[in-house]
Amino acid sequence: MATLVTYFSAEGTTAKVAKDYAERIGADVFEIVPQEPYTAADIRWTNPLARCNREQIGGKDVPVNGNIESFESYDTVYIGFPIWYGQAPRVVHTFCKGYDWTGKTVHAFATSGGSGIGKTAEKLKPSLQGVESVDAKLVHSATEI
Ligand SMILES: Cc1cc2nc3c(=O)[nH]c(=O)nc-3n(C[C@H](O)[C@H](O)[C@H](O)COP(=O)(O)O)c2cc1C
C-alpha cells in the first residue's frame, strides 16, 4: 500500500514543509486548492467581514478543486495545513468529507503563528468518515513530521 501527502497552504509555509516531506519519503502529493482561491483580503482575519471569518463563523463548506485518483490505494494519508482559529481550516474539513477513510491511518500536521496543536485531531475526526486512526502535530519543518 502507498502513502499520500496532501496539504492546504494559503501563504506557502505549510506547502514547503509538505513538499519537503513528500520528497523525503517518496510519497505522492495532492494539493488541496479551494475552487475559489483565497486572496490576501480573504484571509485578513483582523477584518471581521473577511471571507475566512465568514466561513469559520458559519461552519461553511469550502469546495475543493479536483479529485485524488485511486484514493483507495493509499493506506496512510498525511494532511498538512495552517492552524486557523485553533484548528484545521474549513477547506480541509470539506476535503476530508469528500472521501471514504475506512481503514486508513491519518497523520495531520500543521504550522501556526504560535498556537499549539490543541484538539485539532479530535475536531478533524468527524470529517474523516470511517478513519482507522488520526493524530496531529505542530511542525516547523519536514524533519519534525
Ligand atoms: C485566517 C487565519 C487564521 C489563523 N488562525 C491562527 C490561530 O488560531 N493560531 C495561530 O497560531 N496562527 C493562526 N494563523 C496563522 C497561520 O497558522 C500561520 O501563519 C501558518 O504558518 C500559515 O501557513 P500557510 O503559509 O501554509 O498558509 C491564522 C492565519 C490565518 C490566515
Side-chain angles (χ1 to χ4, degrees):
M1 291 292 264
T3 298
L4 176 68
V5 175
T6 67
Y7 69 92
F8 164 68
S9 180
E11 301 174 277
T13 309
T14 315
K16 180 171 178 4
V17 173
K19 287 184 209 165
D20 285 354
Y21 187 64
E23 199 174 308
R24 276 169 65 102
I25 65 168
D28 295 343
V29 180
F30 179 80
E31 182 179 0
I32 301 165
V33 179
Q35 276 174 20
E36 191 188 328
Y38 287 102
T39 64
D42 286 342
I43 59 169
R44 204 163 290 136
W45 53 268
T46 47
N47 172 5
L49 298 178
R51 174 182 167 193
C52 59
N53 286 319
R54 284 186 278 114
E55 287 174 351
Q56 182 65 22
I57 291 162
K60 293 204 170 131
D61 273 319
V62 181
V64 176
N65 257 350
N67 240 304
I68 297 168
E69 279 177 33
S70 310
F71 187 69
E72 63 286 352
S73 67
Y74 300 103
D75 60 348
T76 303
V77 182
Y78 288 83
I79 309 176
F81 46 82
I83 294 286
W84 280 14
Y85 312 96
Q87 62 155 302
R90 294 304 312 162
V91 67
V92 173
H93 281 271
T94 305
F95 162 76
C96 291
K97 287 192 256 177
Y99 296 90
D100 177 4
W101 299 84
T102 302
K104 298 191 195 301
T105 299
V106 169
H107 300 300
F109 61 94
T111 68
S112 85
S115 293
I117 198 69
K119 298 212 175 304
T120 299
E122 292 87 334
K123 289 178 178 170
L124 198 54
K125 198 171 179 195
S127 298
L128 294 161
Q129 198 199 348
V131 75
E132 177 83 19
S133 74
V134 52
D135 54 41
K137 65 158 80 163
L138 193 75
V139 300
H140 303 89
S141 72
T143 53
E144 293 175 333
I145 298 175

